[in-house]
Amino acid sequence: MRTRPLKVALLGCGVVGSEVARIMTTHADDLAARIGAPVELAGVAVRRPSKVREGIDPALITTDATALMRRGDIDVVIEVIGGIEPARALITTAFENGASVVSANKALLAEDGAALHAAAEKYGRDLYYEAAVAGAIPLVRPLRESLAGDKVNRVLGIVNGTTNFILDKMDTSGAGYSEALDEATALGYAEADPTADVEGFDAAAKAAILAGIAFHTRVKIGDVHREGITEVAAADIASARRMGCTVKLLAICERAADGASVTARVHPAMIPLSHPLASVREAYNAVFIEADAAGQLMFYGPGAGGSPTASAVLGDLVAVCRNKLGEATGPGESAYTRLPVSPMGEVVTRYHISLDVADKPGVLAQVATVFAEQGVSIDTVRQQGKDGEASLVVVTHRAPDAALSGTVEALRKLDTVRGVASIMRVEGE
């Protein structure tokens, strides 16, 4: 074993960063044995230096992150500050000054991953980011390495614990969206401002990263169709239950049947209770992968939190340090297919549409005519009504999203349709 330690700099020392530092200290001997050399925490860049950080030598704390990146003796930088800037500039500076990087920054990777990979390649450094997608769940490395010889056709997953907790509580307790969000906040699953989670931004960033790796093409967060869960009502949950389904916020990345394009989307969807993802409860994450040779694979576990995320960070740290000792680098970006990302309108899916209609003869025939004129086939219809008002629930067969959207717009123009109560896609069949 080499006795001279590999030096590690930590950018950020919040929930994840402090846990990374703790494990590096308490598991130092094991990490050294696994790597082949000891690792030493050589500096920690923070915004608030006065904050007490248990187990970290105060002499390591600095507010000058750029100077830390420019020291020249840092072997690996662990970036857990998040956001676009200054993270992007600091990572680039780290590459320029001889360090490889381990990052948990999904937003930056989904926005500018190509440029970061190019910088890493230019300077002969590693860029690893297992922790950016689903906490402790191994996803990036299996897609990038274990399935490198296979053809991945679909990635379907629950990649945000906050929204899964909210939807699960709505399903199991009958709570409304606001009540379930309040409970998630009280338990620490939701931030004071939950927008990134409940509006699907967090899941969309992860979908972009997964699609890029799975299909060997470049997918940015702007390419991902995004819908959140704020419009999901208790009535939608109840309707799903009557169909033998449950509602999940899904990240769905697919290769087109002809192999000429890919799609990436995040939205709530009904999935059958028989699907493996339907049993994923509370704040857990799970991702279902379909590949030509491997078939169907599922990865499940805690997708967020200090310890789970730190586990993924440290796994990357071990891999990057081993590469350093071997004077090698691991896999970089693979974007050779250069497949275009198709718009949501071309995605073929099913719909569950709930309509408020007049309770009188001929309404169902009018509605069915609209679907026929738009080229959308109806699978099932359920109608209930009294006192001159009725609800009509239509589940379609698979059709292009644009055709289904056109159907909804045409339905709104019918005099007998009082309103469209809810629209939700049906997936997982």
Side-chain angles (χ1 to χ4, degrees):
M1 178 187 293
R2 192 180 86 166
T3 57
R4 182 168 62 84
L6 292 161
K7 294 188 176 184
V8 178
L10 186 59
L11 296 177
C13 198
V15 173
V16 176
S18 59
E19 187 67 6
V20 168
R22 184 191 70 79
I23 297 174
M24 283 184 64
T25 301
T26 58
H27 294 182
D29 292 342
D30 286 336
L31 290 172
R34 294 165 190 171
I35 292 169
V39 289
E40 172 190 313
L41 189 58
V44 182
V46 299
R47 286 183 297 175
R48 296 185 294 275
S50 59
K51 181 179 177 180
V52 176
R53 294 173 173 84
E54 188 177 346
I56 297 178
D57 183 352
L60 298 178
I61 301 296
T62 180
T63 57
D64 194 342
T66 301
L68 181 60
M69 297 299 95
R70 288 176 174 168
R71 271 178 41 172
D73 65 337
I74 301 298
D75 294 292
V76 184
V77 170
I78 297 174
E79 183 270 310
V80 287
I81 57 177
I84 305 300
E85 292 292 358
R88 174 166 49 196
L90 292 171
I91 289 173
T92 302
T93 302
F95 290 146
E96 293 170 350
N97 288 271
S100 289
V101 174
V102 172
S103 176
N105 195 333
K106 53 187 170 286
L108 177 57
L109 289 159
E111 177 62 34
D112 213 16
L116 293 178
H117 276 292
E121 183 177 4
K122 176 181 177 181
Y123 293 102
R125 316 298 178 210
D126 274 326
L127 175 62
Y128 276 48
Y129 43 90
E130 186 67 69
V133 177
I137 305 172
L139 278 174
V140 172
R141 192 171 287 114
L143 279 172
R144 192 160 70 167
E145 299 178 32
S146 303
L147 295 173
D150 207 340
K151 179 184 178 184
V152 176
N153 296 307
R154 195 172 195 231
V155 180
L156 172 74
I158 298 165
V159 294
N160 182 273
T162 300
T163 51
N164 199 57
F165 179 89
I166 291 169
L167 293 172
D168 183 51
K169 287 302 173 184
M170 292 176 70
D171 187 32
T172 56
S173 70
Y177 168 78
S178 296
E179 296 171 88
L181 174 58
D182 288 344
E183 184 175 355
T185 303
L187 292 172
Y189 292 128
E191 301 287 346
D193 179 2
T195 303
D197 294 321
V198 300
E199 294 292 357
F201 291 101
D202 175 85
K206 295 170 180 176
I209 295 169
L210 289 173
I213 299 170
F215 307 132
H216 303 277
T217 194
R218 288 178 177 167
V219 180
K220 300 178 69 172
I221 190 169
D223 298 321
V224 181
H225 174 83
R226 176 192 55 79
E227 298 172 29
I229 66 166
T230 55
E231 299 301 317
V232 177
D236 298 318
I237 304 292
S239 189
R241 194 179 300 116
R242 285 192 290 270
M243 289 176 56
C245 293
T246 189
V247 177
K248 299 291 186 183
L249 182 73
L250 298 179
I252 307 171
C253 312
E254 294 177 303
R255 188 191 301 267
D258 62 5
S261 64
V262 299
T263 59
R265 50 196 165 105
V266 167
H267 54 71
M270 297 179 179
I271 59 172
L273 294 175
S274 58
H275 194 282
L277 291 178
S279 61
V280 179
R281 305 289 302 279
E282 305 233 325
Y284 279 79
N285 286 191
V287 175
F288 200 72
I289 295 174
E290 299 175 12
D292 273 2
Q296 297 179 333
L297 308 170
M298 182 166 159
F299 300 81
Y300 168 86
S307 293
T309 306
S311 171
V313 167
L314 288 160
D316 279 350
L317 175 64
V318 169
V320 170
C321 286
R322 286 172 175 169
N323 291 343
K324 278 276 183 180
L325 291 178
E327 298 182 348
T329 55
E333 182 188 34
S334 175
Y336 72 93
T337 63
R338 295 182 175 84
L339 295 174
V341 182
S342 296
M344 186 64 190
E346 296 180 13
V347 172
V348 176
T349 186
R350 299 177 66 202
Y351 261 64
H352 174 282
I353 303 171
S354 180
L355 306 171
D356 295 325
V357 299
D359 187 15
K360 62 182 184 180
V363 173
L364 180 57
Q366 287 183 326
V367 169
T369 297
V370 168
F371 278 89
E373 289 174 346
Q374 297 293 324
V376 178
S377 175
I378 293 175
D379 183 15
T380 61
V381 178
R382 185 177 71 252
Q383 184 173 6
Q384 294 178 322
K386 70 175 186 178
D387 300 329
E389 298 297 327
S391 64
L392 192 65
V393 176
V394 179
V395 179
T396 73
H397 286 292
R398 290 171 62 83
D401 196 84
L404 290 163
S405 297
T407 301
V408 172
E409 290 306 309
L411 289 170
R412 294 183 194 276
K413 296 176 182 178
L414 292 178
D415 293 337
T416 51
V417 174
R418 309 294 193 220
V420 180
S422 69
I423 307 169
M424 191 170 295
R425 295 174 184 85
V426 182
E427 299 283 349
E429 295 183 300

